[in-house]
Amino acid sequence: MEGAVAAEELKAAVNRLRRAQGQIAGVIKMMEEGRDCEDVVTQLAAASRALDRAGFSIIATGLQHCLADEKAAASGDREEMRARLEKLFLSLA
């Protein structure tokens, strides 16, 4: 069951990345066509939000799996994993 959850979460992140990819292509086309700056920035902001959401989704999935991993907790790597995940979250800020 755990593998199915991870696959669903991965699919959602991939869909968000594809949406952002399309939005970025749209921004490029808008700029090439000389579209209004406000429209370009609005579309660019939407692409940025889609990328952020995908990143947070990927990190949250990793956090869920890491916390569930008893080997990491038993070996004392939990604090190291927490620090790594915190660094990842902050990289998206």
Side-chain angles (χ1 to χ4, degrees), residues 25-67:
V27 169
I28 292 169
K29 184 176 179 184
M30 291 169 75
M31 291 180 71
E32 290 173 343
E33 294 172 350
R35 296 275 299 272
D36 180 67
C37 180
E38 187 174 343
D39 293 340
V40 171
V41 171
T42 298
Q43 188 68 16
L44 189 58
S48 179
R49 284 190 305 274
L51 287 172
D52 287 344
R53 288 181 180 144
F56 285 125
S57 174
I58 292 165
I59 292 170
T61 300
L63 177 61
Q64 180 182 3
H65 291 287
C66 291
L67 292 178

Side-chain angles (χ1 to χ4, degrees), residues 1-92:
M1 183 73 167
E2 192 173 315
V5 172
E8 289 173 22
E9 292 165 345
L10 177 62
K11 184 178 178 183
V14 168
N15 287 339
R16 285 186 172 125
L17 289 171
R18 286 197 174 116
R19 188 175 310 122
Q21 183 179 33
Q23 290 168 323
I24 291 168
V27 169
I28 292 169
K29 184 176 179 184
M30 291 169 75
M31 291 180 71
E32 290 173 343
E33 294 172 350
R35 296 275 299 272
D36 180 67
C37 180
E38 187 174 343
D39 293 340
V40 171
V41 171
T42 298
Q43 188 68 16
L44 189 58
S48 179
R49 284 190 305 274
L51 287 172
D52 287 344
R53 288 181 180 144
F56 285 125
S57 174
I58 292 165
I59 292 170
T61 300
L63 177 61
Q64 180 182 3
H65 291 287
C66 291
L67 292 178
D69 184 3
E70 293 180 25
K71 290 180 185 176
S75 67
D77 292 340
R78 179 174 253 168
E79 185 60 29
E80 179 185 341
M81 184 59 65
R82 187 205 60 79
R84 289 174 54 202
L85 289 168
E86 180 180 348
K87 183 178 178 181
L88 286 172
F89 268 116
L90 293 175
S91 73
L92 293 173

